[in-house]
Coordinates of all heavy atoms in Angstrom, one line a residue:
I237 N -23.6 -99.0 118.1 CA -24.4 -97.7 118.1 C -23.5 -96.6 117.5 O -24.0 -95.7 116.8 CB -24.8 -97.3 119.5 CG1 -25.7 -98.3 120.1 CG2 -25.5 -95.9 119.5 CD1 -27.1 -98.4 119.6
M238 N -22.2 -96.7 117.7 CA -21.3 -95.6 117.2 C -20.0 -96.2 116.7 O -19.0 -96.1 117.3 CB -21.1 -94.5 118.3 CG -21.0 -95.1 119.7 SD -20.9 -93.8 120.9 CE -19.7 -94.6 122.0
P239 N -20.1 -96.8 115.5 CA -19.0 -97.6 115.0 C -17.7 -96.8 114.8 O -16.6 -97.4 115.0 CB -19.6 -98.2 113.7 CG -20.8 -97.4 113.4 CD -21.3 -96.9 114.6
G240 N -17.8 -95.6 114.4 CA -16.6 -94.8 114.2 C -16.0 -94.4 115.5 O -14.8 -94.6 115.8
K241 N -16.9 -93.8 116.4 CA -16.3 -93.3 117.7 C -15.8 -94.4 118.6 O -14.9 -94.2 119.4 CB -17.5 -92.5 118.3 CG -17.0 -91.5 119.4 CD -18.1 -90.6 119.8 CE -17.7 -89.9 121.1 NZ -18.7 -89.0 121.7
A242 N -16.4 -95.6 118.4 CA -16.0 -96.7 119.2 C -14.6 -97.2 119.0 O -13.9 -97.9 119.7 CB -16.9 -97.9 119.0
K243 N -14.0 -96.7 117.8 CA -12.6 -97.0 117.5 C -11.7 -96.3 118.5 O -10.5 -96.6 118.6 CB -12.3 -96.6 116.1 CG -13.1 -97.3 115.0 CD -12.2 -98.1 114.1 CE -12.9 -99.3 113.4 NZ -14.1 -99.0 112.7
V244 N -12.2 -95.3 119.2 CA -11.4 -94.7 120.3 C -11.8 -95.5 121.5 O -12.9 -95.4 122.0 CB -11.8 -93.2 120.5 CG1 -11.0 -92.5 121.6 CG2 -11.8 -92.4 119.2
P245 N -10.8 -96.3 122.0 CA -11.2 -97.2 123.0 C -11.5 -96.5 124.4 O -11.0 -95.4 124.6 CB -9.9 -98.1 123.2 CG -8.9 -97.5 122.3 CD -9.4 -96.4 121.6
V246 N -12.2 -97.3 125.2 CA -12.6 -96.7 126.5 C -11.3 -96.4 127.3 O -11.2 -95.4 128.0 CB -13.5 -97.7 127.3 CG1 -13.6 -97.3 128.7 CG2 -14.9 -97.8 126.6
D247 N -10.3 -97.2 127.1 CA -9.0 -97.0 127.9 C -8.4 -95.7 127.5 O -7.8 -95.0 128.4 CB -8.0 -98.1 127.5 CG -8.3 -99.4 128.2 OD1 -9.2 -99.4 129.1 OD2 -7.6 -100.4 127.9
Y248 N -8.6 -95.3 126.3 CA -8.0 -94.0 125.9 C -8.8 -92.8 126.5 O -8.2 -91.8 127.0 CB -8.0 -93.8 124.4 CG -7.2 -92.6 123.9 CD1 -5.8 -92.6 124.1 CD2 -7.8 -91.5 123.3 CE1 -5.1 -91.5 123.7 CE2 -7.1 -90.4 123.0 CZ -5.7 -90.4 123.1 OH -4.9 -89.3 122.8
Y249 N -10.1 -93.0 126.6 CA -10.9 -92.0 127.4 C -10.4 -91.9 128.8 O -10.3 -90.8 129.4 CB -12.4 -92.4 127.3 CG -13.2 -91.9 126.1 CD1 -13.1 -92.6 124.9 CD2 -13.9 -90.8 126.2 CE1 -13.7 -92.1 123.8 CE2 -14.6 -90.3 125.1 CZ -14.5 -90.9 123.9 OH -15.2 -90.5 122.8
M250 N -10.2 -93.1 129.4 CA -9.8 -93.1 130.8 C -8.4 -92.4 131.0 O -8.2 -91.6 132.0 CB -9.7 -94.5 131.4 CG -11.0 -95.2 131.4 SD -12.2 -94.4 132.6 CE -13.7 -95.4 132.3
E251 N -7.5 -92.6 130.1 CA -6.2 -91.9 130.1 C -6.4 -90.4 130.0 O -5.9 -89.6 130.8 CB -5.3 -92.3 129.0 CG -4.6 -93.5 129.2 CD -3.8 -93.9 127.9 OE1 -3.2 -93.0 127.3 OE2 -3.8 -95.1 127.5
A252 N -7.3 -90.0 129.1 CA -7.6 -88.6 128.9 C -8.3 -88.0 130.1 O -7.9 -86.9 130.5 CB -8.4 -88.4 127.6
F253 N -9.2 -88.7 130.7 CA -9.9 -88.2 131.9 C -8.9 -87.9 133.0 O -8.9 -86.9 133.6 CB -10.9 -89.2 132.4 CG -12.1 -89.4 131.5 CD1 -12.7 -90.7 131.4 CD2 -12.7 -88.3 130.9 CE1 -13.8 -90.8 130.6 CE2 -13.8 -88.5 130.1 CZ -14.4 -89.7 129.9
A254 N -8.0 -88.9 133.2 CA -7.0 -88.7 134.3 C -6.2 -87.5 134.1 O -6.0 -86.7 135.1 CB -6.1 -90.0 134.4
D255 N -5.8 -87.3 132.9 CA -5.0 -86.1 132.6 C -5.8 -84.8 132.8 O -5.3 -83.8 133.3 CB -4.5 -86.2 131.2 CG -3.0 -85.8 131.0 OD1 -2.2 -86.6 131.3 OD2 -2.8 -84.6 130.8
A256 N -7.0 -84.8 132.3 CA -7.8 -83.6 132.3 C -8.2 -83.3 133.8 O -8.3 -82.1 134.1 CB -9.1 -83.8 131.5
V257 N -8.4 -84.3 134.6 CA -8.7 -84.0 136.0 C -7.5 -83.2 136.7 O -7.8 -82.3 137.5 CB -9.1 -85.3 136.8 CG1 -9.1 -85.1 138.3 CG2 -10.4 -85.9 136.3
E258 N -6.3 -83.6 136.3 CA -5.2 -82.8 136.9 C -5.2 -81.4 136.6 O -4.8 -80.5 137.3 CB -3.9 -83.4 136.2 CG -3.5 -84.8 136.5 CD -3.0 -84.9 137.9 OE1 -2.1 -84.1 138.3 OE2 -3.5 -85.8 138.7
V259 N -5.8 -81.0 135.4 CA -5.9 -79.6 135.0 C -7.1 -78.9 135.5 O -7.1 -77.8 136.1 CB -5.8 -79.5 133.4 CG1 -6.0 -78.1 132.9 CG2 -4.5 -80.1 132.9
F260 N -8.3 -79.6 135.3 CA -9.6 -78.9 135.6 C -10.1 -79.1 137.0 O -10.9 -78.4 137.5 CB -10.7 -79.3 134.6 CG -10.4 -78.8 133.2 CD1 -9.7 -79.5 132.3 CD2 -10.9 -77.5 132.8 CE1 -9.5 -79.1 131.0 CE2 -10.7 -77.1 131.5 CZ -10.0 -77.8 130.6
G261 N -9.6 -80.2 137.6 CA -10.0 -80.5 139.0 C -11.1 -81.5 139.0 O -11.8 -81.7 138.0
R262 N -11.3 -82.2 140.2 CA -12.3 -83.2 140.3 C -13.7 -82.7 140.0 O -14.1 -81.6 140.5 CB -12.3 -83.8 141.7 CG -11.1 -84.7 142.0 CD -11.0 -85.1 143.5 NE -12.2 -85.7 144.0 CZ -12.5 -87.0 143.7 NH1 -11.7 -87.7 143.0 NH2 -13.6 -87.5 144.2
G263 N -14.4 -83.4 139.2 CA -15.8 -83.1 138.9 C -15.9 -82.1 137.7 O -17.0 -82.1 137.0
N264 N -14.9 -81.4 137.4 CA -15.0 -80.5 136.3 C -14.6 -81.2 135.0 O -14.4 -80.5 133.9 CB -14.2 -79.2 136.5 CG -14.9 -78.3 137.5 OD1 -16.1 -78.2 137.4 ND2 -14.2 -77.7 138.4
V265 N -14.4 -82.4 135.1 CA -14.3 -83.3 133.9 C -15.5 -84.2 134.0 O -15.8 -84.8 135.0 CB -13.0 -84.1 133.9 CG1 -12.8 -85.0 132.7 CG2 -11.8 -83.1 134.1
S266 N -16.2 -84.3 132.8 CA -17.4 -85.1 132.9 C -17.6 -85.9 131.6 O -16.9 -85.7 130.6 CB -18.6 -84.2 133.1 OG -18.7 -83.3 132.1
T267 N -18.5 -86.8 131.6 CA -18.8 -87.6 130.4 C -20.3 -87.9 130.4 O -20.9 -88.1 131.4 CB -18.0 -88.9 130.4 OG1 -18.1 -89.5 129.1 CG2 -18.4 -89.9 131.4
Y268 N -20.9 -87.8 129.2 CA -22.3 -88.2 129.0 C -22.4 -89.7 128.9 O -21.6 -90.3 128.2 CB -22.9 -87.7 127.7 CG -23.8 -86.5 127.8 CD1 -23.3 -85.2 127.9 CD2 -25.1 -86.6 127.7 CE1 -24.1 -84.1 128.0 CE2 -26.0 -85.5 127.8 CZ -25.5 -84.3 127.9 OH -26.3 -83.2 128.0
I269 N -23.3 -90.3 129.6 CA -23.7 -91.7 129.4 C -25.1 -91.8 129.0 O -26.0 -91.3 129.8 CB -23.3 -92.6 130.6 CG1 -21.8 -92.5 130.9 CG2 -23.8 -94.0 130.4 CD1 -21.4 -93.3 132.2
L270 N -25.5 -92.3 127.9 CA -26.9 -92.3 127.4 C -27.5 -93.6 127.8 O -27.2 -94.7 127.2 CB -26.9 -92.1 125.9 CG -26.2 -90.9 125.3 CD1 -26.3 -90.9 123.8 CD2 -26.9 -89.6 125.8
A271 N -28.3 -93.6 128.9 CA -28.8 -94.9 129.4 C -30.0 -95.2 128.5 O -30.9 -94.4 128.2 CB -29.3 -94.7 130.8
G272 N -30.0 -96.5 128.1 CA -31.1 -97.0 127.2 C -30.6 -97.4 125.9 O -31.4 -97.8 125.0
L273 N -29.3 -97.3 125.6 CA -28.8 -97.7 124.3 C -28.5 -99.2 124.3 O -28.2 -99.7 123.2 CB -27.5 -96.9 124.0 CG -27.6 -95.4 123.6 CD1 -26.2 -94.8 123.4 CD2 -28.4 -95.3 122.3
G274 N -28.5 -99.8 125.4 CA -28.3 -101.3 125.4 C -27.3 -101.7 126.6 O -27.2 -102.8 126.9
D275 N -26.6 -100.7 127.2 CA -25.7 -101.0 128.3 C -26.6 -101.5 129.5 O -27.7 -101.0 129.7 CB -25.0 -99.7 128.8 CG -23.9 -99.3 127.9 OD1 -23.2 -100.2 127.3 OD2 -23.7 -98.1 127.7
S276 N -26.0 -102.5 130.2 CA -26.7 -103.0 131.3 C -26.6 -102.0 132.5 O -25.7 -101.2 132.5 CB -26.1 -104.4 131.8 OG -24.8 -104.2 132.3
K277 N -27.5 -102.2 133.4 CA -27.4 -101.3 134.6 C -26.1 -101.5 135.3 O -25.4 -100.6 135.8 CB -28.6 -101.8 135.5 CG -28.5 -101.3 137.0 CD -29.6 -102.0 137.8 CE -29.0 -102.4 139.1 NZ -29.9 -103.2 139.9
E278 N -25.7 -102.8 135.4 CA -24.4 -103.2 136.1 C -23.2 -102.5 135.5 O -22.4 -101.9 136.1 CB -24.2 -104.7 136.2 CG -25.1 -105.5 137.1 CD -26.5 -105.6 136.4 OE1 -26.7 -105.4 135.2 OE2 -27.5 -105.9 137.2
A279 N -23.2 -102.5 134.1 CA -22.1 -101.9 133.4 C -22.1 -100.4 133.6 O -21.0 -99.8 133.8 CB -22.2 -102.2 131.9
I280 N -23.2 -99.7 133.6 CA -23.3 -98.3 133.8 C -22.8 -97.9 135.2 O -22.0 -97.0 135.4 CB -24.7 -97.7 133.5 CG1 -25.0 -97.9 132.0 CG2 -24.7 -96.2 133.8 CD1 -26.4 -97.4 131.6
V281 N -23.3 -98.7 136.2 CA -23.0 -98.4 137.6 C -21.5 -98.6 137.8 O -20.8 -97.8 138.5 CB -23.9 -99.1 138.6 CG1 -23.4 -98.9 140.0 CG2 -25.4 -98.7 138.4
S282 N -21.0 -99.7 137.3 CA -19.6 -100.0 137.6 C -18.6 -99.0 136.9 O -17.6 -98.6 137.4 CB -19.2 -101.5 137.4 OG -19.2 -101.7 136.0
T283 N -19.0 -98.7 135.7 CA -18.2 -97.7 135.0 C -18.3 -96.3 135.7 O -17.3 -95.6 135.8 CB -18.6 -97.5 133.5 OG1 -18.6 -98.8 132.9 CG2 -17.8 -96.5 132.7
S284 N -19.4 -96.0 136.2 CA -19.6 -94.7 137.0 C -18.7 -94.7 138.2 O -18.1 -93.7 138.5 CB -21.0 -94.5 137.4 OG -21.8 -94.4 136.2
R285 N -18.6 -95.9 138.8 CA -17.8 -96.0 140.0 C -16.3 -95.7 139.6 O -15.6 -94.9 140.3 CB -17.9 -97.5 140.5 CG -16.9 -98.0 141.6 CD -17.4 -97.5 143.0 NE -16.9 -96.2 143.3 CZ -17.4 -95.4 144.3 NH1 -18.4 -95.8 145.0 NH2 -16.9 -94.2 144.5
E286 N -15.9 -96.3 138.5 CA -14.5 -96.1 138.1 C -14.3 -94.6 137.7 O -13.2 -94.0 138.1 CB -14.3 -97.0 136.8 CG -12.8 -97.2 136.4 CD -12.7 -98.0 135.1 OE1 -13.7 -98.7 134.8 OE2 -11.7 -97.9 134.5
L287 N -15.3 -94.0 137.1 CA -15.1 -92.6 136.7 C -15.0 -91.7 137.9 O -14.2 -90.8 138.0 CB -16.3 -92.2 135.8 CG -16.3 -92.8 134.4 CD1 -17.7 -92.7 133.8 CD2 -15.3 -92.2 133.5
I288 N -15.9 -91.9 138.8 CA -16.0 -91.1 140.0 C -14.6 -91.2 140.8 O -14.1 -90.2 141.3 CB -17.2 -91.4 140.9 CG1 -18.5 -91.0 140.2 CG2 -17.1 -90.7 142.3 CD1 -19.8 -91.6 140.8
D289 N -14.1 -92.4 140.9 CA -12.8 -92.6 141.5 C -11.7 -91.8 140.9 O -10.8 -91.3 141.5 CB -12.4 -94.1 141.6 CG -13.3 -94.9 142.6 OD1 -14.0 -94.2 143.4 OD2 -13.3 -96.1 142.5
L290 N -11.9 -91.6 139.5 CA -10.9 -90.8 138.8 C -11.1 -89.3 139.0 O -10.3 -88.5 138.6 CB -11.0 -91.1 137.3 CG -10.2 -92.2 136.6 CD1 -10.6 -92.3 135.1 CD2 -8.7 -91.9 136.8
G291 N -12.3 -89.0 139.4 CA -12.6 -87.5 139.6 C -13.5 -87.0 138.4 O -13.6 -85.8 138.1
V292 N -14.1 -88.0 137.7 CA -14.9 -87.6 136.5 C -16.4 -87.8 136.9 O -16.8 -88.8 137.5 CB -14.6 -88.6 135.3 CG1 -15.5 -88.3 134.1 CG2 -13.1 -88.4 135.0
Y293 N -17.2 -86.8 136.5 CA -18.7 -86.8 136.8 C -19.4 -87.6 135.7 O -19.4 -87.1 134.5 CB -19.2 -85.4 136.9 CG -20.6 -85.3 137.4 CD1 -20.9 -84.9 138.7 CD2 -21.7 -85.6 136.6 CE1 -22.2 -84.8 139.2 CE2 -23.0 -85.5 137.0 CZ -23.2 -85.1 138.3 OH -24.5 -85.0 138.8
P294 N -20.0 -88.7 136.0 CA -20.8 -89.4 134.9 C -22.2 -88.8 134.8 O -23.0 -89.0 135.6 CB -20.9 -90.9 135.5 CG -20.7 -90.7 137.0 CD -20.1 -89.4 137.3
F295 N -22.4 -88.1 133.7 CA -23.7 -87.4 133.5 C -24.6 -88.4 132.8 O -24.5 -88.5 131.5 CB -23.5 -86.1 132.8 CG -24.7 -85.2 132.8 CD1 -25.3 -84.8 133.9 CD2 -25.2 -84.8 131.5 CE1 -26.5 -84.0 133.9 CE2 -26.3 -84.0 131.5 CZ -27.0 -83.6 132.7
I296 N -25.4 -89.0 133.5 CA -26.2 -90.1 132.9 C -27.6 -89.5 132.6 O -28.3 -89.0 133.4 CB -26.4 -91.3 133.9 CG1 -25.0 -91.8 134.4 CG2 -27.2 -92.4 133.4 CD1 -25.0 -92.7 135.6
V297 N -27.9 -89.6 131.3 CA -29.2 -89.1 130.8 C -30.0 -90.2 130.2 O -29.4 -91.1 129.6 CB -29.0 -87.9 129.8 CG1 -28.1 -86.8 130.4 CG2 -28.4 -88.4 128.5
P298 N -31.3 -90.1 130.2 CA -32.1 -91.1 129.5 C -31.9 -90.9 128.0 O -32.0 -89.8 127.5 CB -33.6 -90.8 129.9 CG -33.6 -89.4 130.4 CD -32.2 -89.1 130.9
F299 N -31.7 -92.0 127.2 CA -31.5 -91.8 125.8 C -32.9 -91.5 125.2 O -33.8 -92.2 125.3 CB -30.9 -93.1 125.1 CG -31.0 -92.9 123.7 CD1 -30.3 -91.9 123.0 CD2 -31.8 -93.8 122.9 CE1 -30.4 -91.8 121.6 CE2 -31.8 -93.7 121.5 CZ -31.1 -92.7 120.9
V300 N -33.0 -90.4 124.5 CA -34.2 -90.0 123.8 C -33.9 -89.9 122.3 O -33.1 -89.0 121.9 CB -34.7 -88.6 124.3 CG1 -35.9 -88.2 123.5 CG2 -35.0 -88.7 125.8
P301 N -34.5 -90.8 121.5 CA -34.1 -90.7 120.1 C -34.6 -89.5 119.4 O -35.6 -88.9 119.7 CB -34.9 -92.0 119.5 CG -35.8 -92.4 120.6 CD -35.4 -91.8 121.9
I302 N -33.8 -89.0 118.4 CA -34.1 -87.8 117.7 C -34.8 -88.2 116.4 O -34.3 -89.1 115.7 CB -32.9 -87.0 117.4 CG1 -32.2 -86.6 118.7 CG2 -33.2 -85.7 116.6 CD1 -30.8 -86.0 118.5
S303 N -35.9 -87.5 116.0 CA -36.5 -87.8 114.7 C -35.5 -87.7 113.6 O -34.7 -86.8 113.6 CB -37.7 -86.8 114.5 OG -38.4 -86.7 115.7
G304 N -35.7 -88.6 112.6 CA -34.8 -88.5 111.4 C -33.5 -89.2 111.6 O -32.7 -89.3 110.6

Side-chain angles (χ1 to χ4, degrees):
I237 302 284
M238 33 185 218
K241 199 169 166 181
K243 297 241 160 46
V244 182
V246 169
D247 284 353
Y248 191 67
Y249 273 80
M250 294 296 175
E251 277 175 44
F253 289 144
D255 222 86
V257 168
E258 294 285 310
V259 175
F260 290 93
R262 285 172 58 76
N264 286 321
V265 179
S266 59
T267 192
Y268 257 83
I269 297 175
L270 306 175
L273 285 177
D275 285 322
S276 68
K277 164 191 139 186
E278 291 74 20
I280 295 178
V281 172
S282 68
T283 304
S284 298
R285 171 81 276 160
E286 196 181 340
L287 290 164
I288 293 167
D289 288 346
L290 268 179
V292 177
Y293 189 104
F295 190 56
I296 303 167
V297 305
F299 171 62
V300 176
I302 303 172
S303 312

